[in-house]
Amino acid sequence: MLKDKLQENLKAAMKAGEVQKRDTLRMLQSAIKNKEIEKRAPLTEEESLAAVAKEIKNRKKAIELFKQGNRQDLVDKDEAEIKILEVYAQS
């Protein structure tokens, strides 16, 4: 299940000292948890994958805005997050 995979990878990222991956996975876990609270029931696998897709979509929108604002540092950060999230979008 996606939530279990996220938890395992979060622990591995923490042990390896991968700050960007750790923060991104925590954000994704929070997004899924918020959807569960909103639904008042555990999410199905498809709903979890939809939450991942939504987070990717949000990052892509933000990248466009950051490019307009000439903020390459934030563009790079969001692009790195998208690469991490795409791994879970295909689970």
Side-chain angles (χ1 to χ4, degrees), residues 28-78:
L28 183 55
Q29 280 184 324
S30 294
I32 291 172
K33 185 67 177 171
N34 288 339
K35 288 285 185 189
E36 287 179 337
I37 291 170
E38 188 178 300
K39 183 182 174 187
R40 297 180 185 203
L43 296 181
T44 65
E45 194 69 18
E46 293 79 27
E47 291 169 328
S48 295
L49 293 174
V52 175
K54 182 178 179 189
E55 291 299 321
I56 291 171
K57 183 178 176 183
N58 289 345
R59 299 291 173 298
K60 288 181 179 179
K61 286 182 183 177
I63 286 172
E64 293 303 315
L65 295 173
F66 293 146
K67 284 182 180 177
Q68 291 174 9
N70 208 18
R71 292 294 310 265
Q72 189 60 40
D73 57 325
L74 296 175
V75 170
D76 294 340
K77 177 183 174 287
D78 277 4

Side-chain angles (χ1 to χ4, degrees), residues 74-87:
L74 296 175
V75 170
D76 294 340
K77 177 183 174 287
D78 277 4
E79 285 175 345
E81 288 180 359
I82 287 173
K83 287 180 184 176
I84 294 168
L85 292 171
E86 284 175 341
V87 171

